[in-house]
Amino acid sequence: MNKVIVVGSANVDVISRVGRLPRPGETILGRDSESALLPGGKGANQAVAAARLGVLTLLFGAVGADAFGAQLRDTLSAEGVGLAHLSTVDGATTGVAQIVVAADGENTIVVSSGANFRFAPAALADLPAVVEPGDVVLLQLEIPVATCLAAAGIARAAGARVVLNAAPSPEGADPDLADLLDRVDVLVVNETEALAMATEAGAEGNWFAVAAALRKQGPDACVITLGADGAVASDDAGDWHQPAFPVDVVDTTGAGDAFCGGLAARLAAGGGLNDAVCTGAAAGALATGRLGAQAALPDRAAVEALAGGWS
């Protein structure tokens, strides 16, 4: 069976629920009974998302030698994620994400990277022996771009596919980012990230044009998630729209990670990009129905029920 290998971040999420998001400079009171301390990080979240869909999943990443790091190890292990390549960085803290969630489900997130940004390419020494043809290597940008670039190169050399969730949006020019995009099979971004990376593509809302502009930067295919409007995708076979699945939204924090984990899992299981986008959309929709990121990630039975099967 092909597997999903996530090379990415692991954080602890500190979540506060509020009636509305604060304005700049404003202090507001949260709802203490609905606050939480939960496992997170885009890499860890996407690994759990894939594992819950029944696909063998490994995580390459880094945590600090602290209580948060131990908590993450216990949680990920319980989810069935392989942790033989999750390293502990002495002298660094485990990453922390501060998440504020409004009553309408919208959120703001500030990430303190800690050990994640000390996860260097040298930590991938075991990856060539692990990755195999047909595997999916899933990347995000909460670790150094240089590490993502090294992982993508190893994956391509082994005949594996590379999926890059280019989040959070890159700040400033990074010389490694252009090289990374050249090694990506499927680029996944949301609306904000897409426009930040393809400012020349034209007016917001012309998402097929934006996707085409992003593909010119190197990726073989591009998927743009559009929240309640679903997603658009573009590859050599054409462009298409994936409608959203209707759900009652509680918290959108984990939706993007559920989408990426679902997409990667479906690709690893042998599905085409159309199938993978549908699976990702169903997983992302279901993840909005509960508070938190990992806690809200659906299992395969729930995704199959919403998507109409695992075609």
Side-chain angles (χ1 to χ4, degrees), residues 33-85:
S33 63
E34 299 181 26
S35 297
L37 186 68
L38 300 171
K42 297 192 74 63
N45 291 345
Q46 293 178 20
V48 171
R52 286 191 182 175
L53 295 181
V55 175
L56 177 62
T57 305
L58 311 179
L59 175 63
F60 280 71
V63 296
D66 51 26
F68 282 166
Q71 175 186 340
L72 288 173
R73 285 185 179 278
D74 289 345
T75 302
L76 291 166
S77 179
E79 292 285 355
V81 176
L83 301 180
H85 310 287

Side-chain angles (χ1 to χ4, degrees), residues 40 88 142:
T88 298
E142 287 185 341

